[in-house]
Amino acid sequence: MSGLRAALADGGRFVVTAEVGPPRDADPDAITRRAKALRGWVDAANVTDNQGANARMSSLAASVLLRAAGVEPVMQLTCRDRNRIALQSDLIGAAALGVPNVLLLTGDHPSLGDHPEAKPVFDLDGVQLVWTARRMRDEGVLLSGRPLGRRPSWLIGTVENPFAPPTAARARRLAKKAAAGAEFAQTQYVFDLPAFARWTAMLRDEGVTERCAVLAGVGPIRSLRMLAFLSTGVPGVHVPDEVARRLRGVPERRVEEEGLAICEETLRELAATPGVRGAHLMVFGHEDEVPDLLRRAEIRKGDPDVDRL
Amino acid sequence: MVNEPRPFRPRISARLAYTLHAGLAPNPFYRRLAAFVEGRPRLARWFTSGERAVKERLFGCRMCGQCALPVTGYACPMTCPKQLRNGPCGGVSADGSCEVDRSLRCVWVTAAERAGSAGRGGDLDLLQRPADNREWSRSSWLNYWQGRDEGLTTALGDG
């Protein structure tokens, strides 16, 4: 049973997910260490699937390791590297191994990763994959039409970028994914709160937020280098001038502090934004900062030393 | 890859494309014509080459054999580097350029604009089912007239 599903059903709870990137080697402890920092503080954690088209431990293996370490996994699965046979196979495998949540997406293009010479698969797209998984679970059929004996029960999630053109169509796009079967959606980094609020308002008008819970992507910008990287090096991330000005306006040694302060303010505002069910934290290797960030934003209470036991 | 897809800007307006399409709408004559052509391999090859020549020039057609143009504002989704048939990915830059090649405009930005301007924005809400990869290099017009594309595009219900 998915704890994330239960958390999303609890209307009074601001749901928090985080992200665990699998290691580039065969060390299972890399997952355990990250799990230790997050345990008890997040409702679930995404396990990325060769993120940015860089080869790493598989998301399925890392999801099983994360679950064993006491954090509920959300297994990411992309269409970049697998055809429809392999996608359905990994989905069934995940269900059999007790992975309770899946996050289905198209994936970054291989040309952006560490194997730019790789063959891009994209046999299905993200919407088709969500639709396929929903039919496997609810109708018990594969794309071939063949029946599944025991059906999977995962919670199905997806992603959306409210800030990427065609921006006017982005609410309709999530509506389409929700209609295809997505029950929750994590978004790209939210730095532009007014634009984000306009997007969620459109979603609420169309009744999408009732069927598909929106978890806003949030994370601190820790340095001017990271600011430059996010502004130009990551497809689809939009950092407004105001945020950039604030980070550039403080001495170099205080940039990280300012970045964390912006992140905390963003979390507070999101928690008060109608139609936002929670946040998806992207802290990349700084999992130990998650408890403090959540307490400062008054999203979670408690003493980490006690709660982490 | 030699045949790597890259976003293509259609060479004719959406309005003209919708008008021309009306002339291709399936009818009993076209259905019989399609069956006749398919029964003669040389004629079928000639017909398919003709279709390719026209659509390649106008829409950057790659001959997937299962044409989605009528529901994408006549901007071909198979020219997207990810061949996305159900809408844009999240990597589109703020200026509307493709994440794979920043010098090109995302084909789905073009599609949304063209479909919207023709009052056909609702087409983008339809689910494009997974394509049949056996149809590559075959004629989509013959498939269309023979009714084989039915079910490729469906409305997503709430159920």
Side-chain angles (χ1 to χ4, degrees):
Chain A
M1 174 61 191
S2 162
L4 182 56
R5 185 191 293 280
L8 289 171
D10 174 0
R13 184 176 181 83
F14 190 74
V15 173
V16 178
T17 55
E19 203 159 285
V20 171
R24 196 175 286 124
D25 60 19
D27 177 15
D29 294 336
I31 302 288
T32 317
R33 277 195 300 275
R34 290 175 168 197
K36 205 178 270 181
L38 297 172
R39 200 161 61 210
W41 288 96
V42 297
D43 294 294
N46 287 30
V47 180
T48 49
D49 177 14
N50 299 299
Q51 190 169 20
N54 299 296
R56 288 173 176 263
M57 180 191 291
S58 76
S59 61
L60 177 53
S63 291
V64 171
L65 290 169
L66 186 64
R67 185 162 177 260
V71 174
E72 183 170 302
V74 178
M75 184 184 85
Q76 295 193 188
L77 192 66
T78 75
C79 301
R80 177 190 57 230
D81 311 312
R82 304 167 184 84
N83 68 9
R84 64 193 77 183
I85 298 173
L87 287 167
Q88 293 177 98
S89 164
D90 279 353
L91 281 169
I92 294 171
L97 288 166
V99 174
N101 316 292
V102 291
L103 187 92
L104 308 174
L105 55 165
T106 300
D108 296 314
H109 196 273
S111 63
L112 306 170
D114 63 356
H115 292 71
E117 74 283 16
K119 177 168 181 154
V121 179
F122 301 115
D123 183 28
L124 303 185
D125 63 33
V127 179
Q128 292 165 346
L129 182 56
V130 166
W131 178 75
T132 301
R134 204 258 298 155
R135 291 185 67 224
M136 287 169 72
R137 185 192 65 193
D138 297 347
E139 295 166 32
V141 287
L142 294 168
L143 274 177
S144 63
R146 286 191 161 184
L148 286 164
R150 189 200 283 201
R151 296 183 190 183
S153 63
W154 356 260
L155 181 74
I156 300 172
T158 189
V159 293
E160 187 49 60
N161 185 351
F163 311 106
T167 43
R170 288 289 170 179
R172 295 285 286 278
R173 175 137 176 84
L174 185 59
K176 182 171 180 174
K177 289 179 179 176
E183 294 157 288
F184 72 98
Q186 294 166 337
T187 74
Q188 183 54 276
Y189 271 116
V190 177
F191 294 114
D192 187 343
L193 282 157
F196 187 71
R198 284 196 295 277
W199 181 70
T200 49
M202 280 191 277
L203 292 175
R204 288 175 65 215
D205 288 346
E206 299 213 12
V208 178
T209 48
E210 287 155 34
R211 282 175 293 150
C212 182
V214 172
L215 306 181
V218 182
I221 300 179
R222 294 172 186 282
S223 63
L224 296 181
R225 232 184 87 199
M226 185 173 172
L227 172 65
F229 177 66
L230 285 178
S231 304
T232 57
V234 186
V237 175
H238 172 58
V239 185
D241 292 341
E242 196 199 318
V243 171
R245 257 201 304 277
R246 270 184 72 176
L247 292 167
R248 290 206 188 94
V250 298
E252 184 98 41
R253 62 188 157 74
R254 285 199 47 228
V255 171
E256 183 167 18
E257 199 180 310
E258 188 69 13
L260 281 161
I262 293 172
C263 184
E264 179 199 321
E265 290 162 30
T266 306
L267 278 169
R268 282 176 188 275
E269 282 217 36
L270 288 169
T273 304
V276 179
R277 277 297 285 117
H280 175 63
L281 296 176
M282 294 178 269
V283 294
F284 305 117
H286 292 80
E287 284 78 15
D288 54 324
E289 282 178 3
V290 165
D292 199 38
L293 199 54
L294 292 175
R295 269 180 302 156
R296 277 172 58 185
E298 294 176 352
I299 284 168
R300 293 282 185 272
K301 294 192 187 96
D303 176 359
D305 294 327
V306 174
D307 290 0
R308 237 188 273 171
L309 291 176
Chain B
M1 251 195 299
V2 182
N3 200 14
E4 212 167 327
R6 285 292 178 271
F8 189 91
R9 284 191 94 146
R11 293 220 167 88
I12 58 170
S13 72
R15 179 193 287 257
L16 177 58
Y18 286 113
T19 307
L20 289 176
H21 181 92
L24 288 174
N27 60 39
F29 170 71
Y30 280 153
R31 187 179 291 258
R32 277 199 301 277
L33 175 71
F36 178 82
V37 171
E38 284 190 335
R40 287 155 186 79
R42 269 180 68 181
L43 182 58
R45 272 200 301 280
W46 175 85
F47 183 90
T48 307
S49 304
E51 178 183 335
R52 181 196 298 264
V54 172
K55 283 166 66 181
E56 203 170 68
R57 193 162 172 77
L58 297 182
F59 307 110
C61 174
R62 302 176 60 242
M63 294 301 282
C64 72
Q66 300 189 296
C67 198
L69 286 169
V71 285
T72 58
Y74 288 87
C76 176
M78 301 311 265
T79 68
C80 160
K82 299 178 182 173
Q83 304 187 30
L84 300 181
R85 287 175 75 96
N86 279 289
C89 77
V92 186
S93 303
D95 62 358
S97 64
C98 171
E99 76 166 28
V100 174
D101 187 337
R102 293 279 176 95
S103 70
L104 297 171
R105 192 159 188 254
C106 164
V107 71
W108 277 103
V109 171
T110 305
E113 195 181 277
R114 285 166 65 96
S117 73
R120 297 283 298 264
D123 287 351
L124 306 190
D125 298 335
L126 299 169
L127 174 75
Q128 298 295 322
R129 290 195 183 174
D132 181 340
N133 285 292
R134 294 170 296 187
E135 295 299 326
W136 280 93
S137 82
R138 293 191 188 156
S139 162
S140 78
W141 287 346
L142 294 178
N143 280 338
Y144 179 50
W145 290 336
Q146 296 270 51
R148 295 193 198 107
D149 283 358
E150 282 159 26
L152 192 61
T153 302
T154 47
L156 280 161
D158 287 320

